[in-house]
Structure formats: C-alpha cells, structure tokens
Amino acid sequence: MFKTCKAAIGAAVLAVGLGAGAAHATAIIGSISVQDGLNNLPTTPSTGSVSNLTGIQHAGNGLSGNCTGAFVGSCGSLNAVMTDWNFGGPFPNVIVVNGFTFDLTGNGAITKTPLSCNVSGACNDALVVADLVGVVSGNGFDPTQFSGSLSFTGSCNGGLVGGVATCQSNYSGGYTYSLSAQGRTQVPEPSTLLLIGIALAGLGFMRRKNT
C-alpha cells in the first residue's frame, strides 16, 4: 500500500508539473479575414445568387487581409489554400495560410437575406453562416480554439417573375471568412491538472489507511 500511495503522490507531482507547463503554453491570439469569389453559383433563372447555397466552392485561392496578432504575417498578397465544404459537414481543414491550418469542426445558424431587385433589374442577396468553431495550429504555437463566421454577398440581373424576385443572368458572388483565436488552447487548465493530482494522492492515502 505504501507503493500505491507513493505512486499516487508521484502522479500528483506530475500533474502539477504538467499544469505549470500548460501555464506557459504559447497560444494563438489574433484575427484574420480571407475572401475570394465563388464557383457554385446558379446558371439558370433562380430566386437567389448566394442565399440558396448549402455549401461553398471557392473560385481559387483566397486572399487574406485585415490580420491582427499572430496572423499579421499572413496578410498582404499571400494566398490561402481553401477547401470546399457543405454547411452540414463533414468539416475539413478549411483554410491553410502561411503555416497556419484552421481545422473546422462545426458551425451554427445560417441567416439568409432574400434576393431583392430594383427597377433597373439589379438584384442582390446575402447569406451568413454563424458560429464557425474549430482549432487553428501551426508556426510553433499550441493548437488554439478559434471562432468566427462566413459571409456571402451576391448579385445578378433580373426582376420580378410572378411577383418573386428572380435572377436571370450575370451571376456573381463572393465570401469572407472572419476568424479569431483568443488564446484558449486545447490543453487542460493548470487548476484541473492540480485537482486531478490531489485526488490521486488522496485516493492513495485512503487505501493505505484502510489496510
């Protein structure tokens, strides 16, 4: 039983040590936006340019910009490699840019702005996929949770057909990812590790006492 107690105390010390290491973790703090055009736009009369989309197909490599914090070096004329995906999943490594990989794990509500057309036949619509979540890693940083949104804007030429705004031609659309990492890493908090260690030590003591 003495060995059991000794092992438990050792585990406690190890947990405290791991907690101290976690406290010095280098988490990612910063934000980045990436934008580009779209491939999966309608080619026939439709009630929307982007508002009916159920996924995203990128026209090419996205251009990054408006970066802060750890992502500042990822802005400018650098290209971001984008992965096509459906809003219902499965979710991919959605963006890889300048050594950072954004691994998307889910999204939230989808808000549509229906198509509207003016008297000259210019039509516009929009769509927002909220609450993107996942983990960003790379460039020597610890894997860090990120959140954000994906916004679409679209346009076309059209008008009212049977009282409904309808695109007829000249479809165009683009998107913007707005992503932010606030320093929340994927490692356990130091306080959690410390509590685990104390619990293990206590368990070992109780077993020794009961023998």
Side-chain angles (χ1 to χ4, degrees):
M1 288 299 132
F2 176 73
K3 290 184 178 180
T4 301
C5 183
K6 184 177 180 181
I9 294 174
V13 172
L14 177 61
V16 172
L18 289 173
H24 293 90
T26 307
I28 300 171
I29 299 177
S31 62
I32 185 172
S33 64
V34 180
Q35 51 273 324
D36 197 7
L38 294 165
N39 271 337
N40 55 331
L41 296 176
T43 56
T44 58
S46 171
T47 56
S49 179
V50 298
S51 55
N52 295 326
L53 294 177
T54 58
I56 180 170
Q57 293 181 13
H58 309 87
N61 290 344
L63 300 178
S64 57
N66 300 321
C67 302
T68 66
F71 303 118
V72 168
S74 300
C75 285
S77 60
L78 297 177
N79 286 336
V81 179
M82 318 297 292
T83 304
D84 299 338
W85 59 284
N86 294 320
F87 302 149
F91 302 106
N93 290 333
V94 68
I95 302 173
V96 179
V97 55
N98 196 29
F100 289 103
T101 298
F102 290 82
D103 185 10
L104 183 66
T105 58
N107 62 259
I110 298 174
T111 303
K112 300 181 179 182
T113 301
L115 188 73
S116 62
C117 304
N118 61 25
V119 294
S120 63
C123 307
N124 297 276
D125 62 351
L127 184 147
V128 175
V129 184
D131 300 326
L132 301 184
V133 293
V135 176
V136 55
S137 58
N139 286 343
F141 290 92
D142 287 337
T144 305
Q145 297 177 38
F146 75 84
S147 60
S149 62
L150 172 59
S151 302
F152 297 86
T153 56
S155 64
C156 64
N157 291 338
L160 295 180
V161 176
V164 178
T166 304
C167 289
Q168 299 290 336
S169 62
N170 295 333
Y171 291 90
S172 66
Y175 68 86
T176 299
Y177 285 100
S178 299
L179 308 176
S180 175
Q182 299 300 326
R184 296 180 59 190
T185 64
Q186 290 299 96
V187 299
E189 293 293 330
S191 57
T192 301
L193 290 169
L194 180 59
L195 288 174
I196 292 173
I198 293 172
L200 288 172
L203 179 61
F205 176 77
M206 290 179 64
R207 285 182 176 177
R208 185 187 179 191
K209 183 178 180 181
N210 292 331
T211 59

